[in-house]
Amino acid sequence: MNEFQLIQQYFQQPNLAFSNAYLRHGIGDDCATLNIPSEFDLHLSLDTLVEDVHFPKQANAFDIATRALAVSISDLAAMGAIPIGFTLAITLPSNDESWIKAFTAGVAQAAQFYHCPLIGGDTTKGPCLVLSLQVHGITPNGKGLSRGGAQLGDKVYVSGNLGDAAGALPMVLNDPSLNTGLAQQYYAPIAQIEFAQAIKGYASSCLDISDGLVQDLNHLCKASNVGMVIDPGLIPMSDELLKTYGNAQALTYALSGGDDYQLAYTAEDCQYGICIGEVVAGEKVEVKGMTLAAGGYQHF
Ligand code: ADP
Ligand code: MG
């Protein structure tokens, strides 16, 4: 199967490369063309995932795919944007058709779930599997969320349980095909698109927690020029994480582990999510009663 047959049969399949109101030209032309009405802002984000850095090489192709799109779309959720389409650059070591079939089935399932079609991309051969996804989303003009708006006296919230993906990682590395229980939380994070729509009227700032709660909240503090006090007793954690690791290790995962893709945000008062602390004067996150070793994922 050559490059063009592969694109046509697998990437251009109707449940993946579907159309929507914003798409003029999708796969098959030299560019994808989007028609964005003037009352919307367009939000873009690009993520690259490298085998054995961002996911185990031996993982199921389907799981690699669903996770790749979810983590990319999570950045749109953080901005309060609605997905409208994504491009995918894939570097493959070989044209293993069964792998590509499973991979594109996973991408298609996630694309359907987020109503976000594949609109273009690039297919190349290279020494290892690398995926780059550029996601595109819209908000009404000026209505996007950002890291920059936290106000003194705001409360700090998260959208759901933390630490599951970090707790799953040792299991996933031990058995990359394991995709049940906690491992499911690693492979199938859910980008919080709908949740972000619910908090948009309340949130003064927002980001997605990809690299660990404390590290990511520190980014928010820097952008907003504030500090935060977090109460570790308020951090939501799943029963499964607590049961598997006990409270202390679970809390370490929840505070410093990455890959959960929940949202963290600040608001004066909000009925959605779980309050874990407050915004104070300062420039950093303090976790009450704890001194944290520099936590969170960094490539360099
Ligand atoms: P060009 O040579 O003009 O850059 P390509 O031959 O690379 O075009 O791609 C042909 C068409 O297929 C383009 O519309 C491109 O966006 C699309 N395409 C290529 N690879 C992928 C992919 N992995 N996913 C989605 N679309 C792809
Ligand atoms: Mg061209």
Side-chain angles (χ1 to χ4, degrees):
M1 177 161 271
N2 71 31
E3 177 190 331
F4 301 109
Q5 289 165 331
L6 199 142
I7 292 168
Q8 202 176 9
Q9 179 158 346
Y10 291 109
F11 291 99
Q12 213 173 353
Q13 57 177 289
N15 56 350
L16 174 53
F18 49 92
S19 194
N20 63 22
Y22 306 99
L23 188 63
R24 281 197 204 280
H25 299 293
I27 295 176
D29 221 312
D30 288 305
C31 287
T33 306
L34 293 168
N35 170 31
I36 312 295
S38 61
E39 63 269 28
F40 292 111
D41 289 345
L42 177 64
H43 303 258
L44 310 180
S45 169
L46 176 63
D47 276 308
T48 293
L49 296 96
V50 178
E51 76 175 23
D52 285 342
V53 176
H54 297 95
F55 56 85
K57 178 182 179 166
Q58 298 306 329
N60 295 321
F62 190 96
D63 293 333
I64 293 173
T66 52
R67 181 169 183 280
L69 190 55
V71 307
S72 303
I73 287 189
S74 176
D75 286 320
L76 294 178
M79 304 297 283
I82 301 282
I84 60 166
F86 74 104
T87 53
L88 167 68
I90 184 165
T91 299
L92 290 160
S94 72
N95 65 345
D96 173 350
E97 203 176 326
S98 68
W99 191 95
I100 293 165
K101 189 174 179 188
F103 176 81
T104 48
V107 193
Q109 187 195 70
Q112 294 283 333
F113 181 79
Y114 294 110
H115 309 293
C116 185
L118 180 62
I119 62 175
D122 200 21
T123 305
T124 52
K125 187 176 176 185
C128 74
L129 177 63
V130 181
L131 306 166
S132 290
L133 293 86
Q134 176 152 316
V135 292
H136 306 72
I138 52 171
T139 60
N141 295 143
K143 299 292 185 196
L145 299 169
S146 78
R147 300 177 176 191
Q151 303 292 320
L152 292 184
D154 278 353
K155 293 174 183 163
V156 182
Y157 296 84
V158 292
S159 56
N161 288 336
L162 301 179
D164 280 352
L169 193 58
M171 303 174 186
V172 166
L173 292 178
N174 184 48
D175 175 7
S177 67
L178 184 74
N179 61 6
T180 54
L182 274 186
Q184 177 69 13
Q185 302 300 318
Y186 174 83
Y187 281 123
I190 294 180
Q192 299 294 312
I193 294 290
E194 282 178 22
F195 189 90
Q197 294 307 304
I199 62 168
K200 264 174 94 170
Y202 307 90
S204 52
S205 70
C206 184
L207 54 51
D208 70 326
I209 310 167
S210 50
D211 296 328
L213 175 71
V214 173
Q215 180 171 304
D216 284 326
L217 283 180
N218 271 319
H219 295 147
L220 200 151
C221 286
K222 194 166 183 200
S224 293
N225 214 4
V226 296
M228 280 176 189
V229 179
I230 302 301
D231 181 345
L234 298 177
I235 306 285
M237 291 179 281
S238 72
D239 290 343
E240 188 159 12
L241 185 72
L242 289 164
K243 199 176 67 198
T244 312
Y245 289 104
N247 196 62
Q249 180 62 51
L251 188 60
T252 302
Y253 282 140
L255 291 171
S256 325
D259 293 331
D260 282 315
Y261 299 98
Q262 296 290 343
L263 298 179
Y265 54 102
T266 56
E268 245 176 62
D269 206 14
C270 186
Q271 69 204 92
Y272 303 103
I274 300 107
C275 178
I276 59 165
E278 58 184 345
V279 178
V280 297
E283 51 184 25
K284 274 205 178 113
V285 175
E286 181 204 326
V287 183
K288 265 194 225 164
M290 293 179 77
T291 343
L292 284 181
Y297 190 79
Q298 291 193 26
H299 282 273
F300 298 104

